[in-house]
Amino acid sequence: MTDNNTNNTGNGGGNAGLAFIVGGIVVVLAIVAYFVFARGGMAPESKDIDVDINVPEVSAPAVPGGN
């Protein structure tokens, strides 16, 4: 008769933490992909901007005691 003794020391807990981190990265990448591809990329909206600046003419005051 052969005795096979297997000692499980519970070293599988480290994989759960790694799986949690990888899952978080996958979720963040999915959110970034949504904003890049589903919403038309990173290009801003084109806006028609018309700027018209009218400034009144300003003259210098007369110099006292001028020739």
Side-chain angles (χ1 to χ4, degrees), residues 25-47:
I25 292 172
V26 168
V27 169
V28 169
L29 288 176
I31 292 171
V32 169
Y34 169 75
F35 282 106
V36 170
F37 296 114
R39 299 192 56 177
M42 301 297 271
E45 295 180 16
S46 62
K47 296 181 181 178

Side-chain angles (χ1 to χ4, degrees), residues 5-65:
N5 292 332
T6 306
N7 291 333
N8 290 332
T9 57
N11 290 333
N15 291 336
L18 181 63
F20 182 74
I21 292 171
V22 171
I25 292 172
V26 168
V27 169
V28 169
L29 288 176
I31 292 171
V32 169
Y34 169 75
F35 282 106
V36 170
F37 296 114
R39 299 192 56 177
M42 301 297 271
E45 295 180 16
S46 62
K47 296 181 181 178
D48 185 20
I49 300 174
D50 185 20
V51 178
D52 185 18
I53 300 175
N54 294 317
V55 181
E57 185 177 333
V58 178
S59 60
V63 178

